[in-house]
Amino acid sequence: MNNYFIGIMSGTSCDGIDITMCKINDKKIDFIDGNFAPFSDKMRNNLLKLSNSIDDNIEMLIKSDESLADFIVKKINKILLENKILPCEITAIGSHGHTVRHINSDDINYSLQISNHAKIAKQTGIDVVCDFRRGDIACGGTGAPLVPVFHQAIAQSYEPTVVVNIGGIANITILPAIDDNNSDIIGFDTGVGGALIDVWSELHLKSRFDDKGSFARSGNCDYELLKSMLSDDYFKIKPPKSTGRELFNLRWLQKKIAKQKPCDVACTLCNFTATSIIDDIKKYASNTKKIIICGGGLKNDYLMELLSSLAQPTPVLSINDIGYKSDYVEAMAFAYLAYLHINKKPANITTGGTKTTLGALYPK
């Protein structure tokens, strides 16, 4: 067996899919190739609407489920062709799908991802492992984050470390030292990552994101607004916990702002993301010796500067600094989750649930 796995990720940023090919065994996770495939405006708008409870539409859900699967199949075939690898050489695909609803409340916990995985398996000729989040919830977890088990595999060392993944939502993995047998790995969503920065940029810059954080840098932080943002009840909940666009969205933001300049709101949003992350690190990982950042947030220079400043004297590094490509870390994580499923190893090490193998398998 070649131990080749493909990982596919579509995150809260809703900008496209990351696809990666890896070679994985018990000792090593090797990156082979990866690329990013952006969504068309139509697909992106439909997916964003589906994450908005005001726009519930079953027909749109079904059509998006099918069209996203077709899109993914094309990109899988492309990466196979470019690497001259046959479908029969791939052990499995680990696919996250795209989250259209993720709710954690006292009444109900559920998480729904779409992308017709049965179709992907049949049309690529490769087994597909998917539906990881609902498996975690069924075992008593919160369904997110799922990446800590991967962070453990690539970043745990002989000193306490925190890995921060900044996508649309931000999450952290608190890794005790390898020789510390008395501390547990902890992982949870700290709150919003780039989702509000992106939606604000789209509203005022007509751009899907704030390039390098230049819009935010041009403004001034409104500390009263920042205080109001940080007063949200989510930040009073103890981990394990998870969140999504269902809470942190444009409606939430518009209730907070008054007549601030758009650039000042952008600046405050960057401070909001950075502060909520570092506050939780100081609260739950005060002994950490280094912080490693991955995800799209790495491309926001202003956000990275804020994180480094707030974290002092703890050094803030990029995942690139430890030998992994930041653009593909989450996709690699889902390739690794597929590997764990195939080898019947537990994946939910941090969300408070029973330790078990996660994912459902659609055969080729």
Side-chain angles (χ1 to χ4, degrees):
M1 185 179 289
N2 290 312
N3 288 326
Y4 287 129
F5 288 82
I6 288 174
I8 300 165
M9 179 65 194
S10 172
T12 315
S13 297
C14 200
D15 51 358
I17 63 164
D18 295 320
I19 179 168
T20 187
M21 184 185 297
C22 304
K23 193 169 187 177
I24 306 174
N25 58 41
D26 286 343
K27 297 180 179 180
K28 219 174 172 189
I29 304 168
D30 289 326
F31 173 85
I32 305 298
D33 192 17
N35 57 63
F36 169 71
F39 291 144
S40 66
D41 288 342
K42 180 181 178 181
M43 182 178 288
R44 181 172 184 269
N45 289 337
N46 285 345
L47 292 172
L48 287 172
K49 285 179 181 177
L50 288 169
S51 68
N52 185 344
S53 60
I54 296 173
D55 294 320
D56 286 341
N57 186 322
I58 295 298
E59 185 176 353
M60 183 186 292
L61 180 76
I62 294 167
K63 288 181 177 178
S64 296
D65 186 53
E66 294 295 321
S67 61
L68 183 55
D70 292 337
F71 182 70
I72 288 172
V73 167
K74 288 179 182 177
K75 302 309 173 184
I76 291 170
N77 290 336
K78 181 175 182 287
I79 200 170
L80 291 173
L81 184 62
E82 290 173 346
N83 288 276
K84 299 179 181 179
I85 290 178
L86 298 172
C88 61
E89 297 180 80
I90 304 294
T91 302
I93 296 165
S95 177
H96 172 263
H98 183 84
T99 300
V100 294
R101 204 61 54 88
H102 184 90
I103 299 289
N104 287 136
S105 69
D106 293 336
D107 299 322
I108 189 169
N109 291 330
Y110 70 90
S111 190
L112 178 62
Q113 289 72 43
I114 63 169
S115 181
N116 187 335
H117 290 108
K119 175 188 271 191
I120 293 171
K122 296 304 180 185
Q123 293 194 359
T124 61
I126 304 169
D127 290 347
V128 175
V129 185
C130 58
D131 209 10
F132 300 98
R133 297 195 187 278
R134 288 200 292 179
D136 183 69
I137 290 170
C139 292
T142 64
L146 294 176
V147 289
V149 67
F150 178 69
H151 293 162
Q152 179 191 26
I154 67 171
Q156 192 169 29
S157 68
Y158 284 97
E159 57 184 7
T161 300
V162 173
V163 181
V164 183
N165 178 48
I166 308 176
I169 297 298
N171 59 69
I172 63 173
T173 301
I174 300 171
L175 297 170
I178 288 175
D179 55 358
D180 180 354
N181 297 317
N182 298 314
S183 301
D184 293 327
I185 295 171
I186 302 170
F188 60 93
D189 290 346
T190 58
V192 73
L196 290 178
I197 298 168
D198 290 348
V199 75
W200 193 249
S201 298
E202 193 155 12
L203 191 63
H204 292 279
L205 301 178
K206 307 305 178 188
S207 170
R208 289 187 180 183
F209 57 92
D210 180 9
D211 188 25
K212 297 182 180 179
S214 57
F215 183 38
R217 191 190 296 276
S218 71
N220 296 300
C221 183
D222 182 324
Y223 288 99
E224 284 301 313
L225 175 58
L226 176 61
K227 183 179 178 181
S228 174
M229 291 175 173
L230 291 169
S231 70
D232 190 276
D233 287 344
Y234 181 76
F235 302 107
K236 300 171 186 175
I237 302 171
K238 293 181 179 180
K241 59 180 181 176
S242 61
T243 188
R245 284 184 182 272
E246 294 76 17
L247 173 59
F248 294 112
N249 52 44
L250 185 58
R251 295 192 305 278
W252 181 91
L253 178 58
Q254 288 172 331
K255 290 176 183 177
K256 300 284 184 182
I257 59 178
K259 295 182 179 180
Q260 295 92 342
K261 293 179 181 178
C263 61
D264 291 346
V265 174
C267 182
T268 307
L269 285 171
C270 267
N271 278 269
F272 176 44
T273 292
T275 302
S276 58
I277 290 169
I278 299 302
D279 279 357
D280 274 342
I281 292 175
K282 289 180 177 180
K283 186 174 183 178
Y284 296 106
S286 58
N287 67 333
T288 192
K289 300 302 181 185
K290 65 176 180 285
I291 298 168
I292 301 171
I293 310 292
C294 59
L298 266 175
K299 297 178 181 179
N300 187 317
D301 294 346
Y302 180 60
L303 176 60
M304 290 299 296
E305 289 171 20
L306 289 173
L307 287 166
S308 295
S309 176
L310 291 169
Q312 289 182 353
T314 307
V316 175
L317 310 175
S318 162
I319 197 80
N320 299 301
D321 297 328
I322 65 168
Y324 292 90
K325 294 180 181 289
S326 62
D327 288 342
Y328 303 116
V329 166
E330 275 202 285
M332 287 181 71
F334 280 88
Y336 185 62
L337 287 170
Y339 164 81
L340 294 177
H341 177 94
I342 295 297
N343 289 279
K344 296 180 170 55
K345 296 184 177 184
N348 55 336
I349 58 172
T350 61
T351 58
T354 304
K355 306 300 181 282
T356 186
T357 302
L358 291 182
L361 188 143
Y362 283 92
K364 59 192 173 187

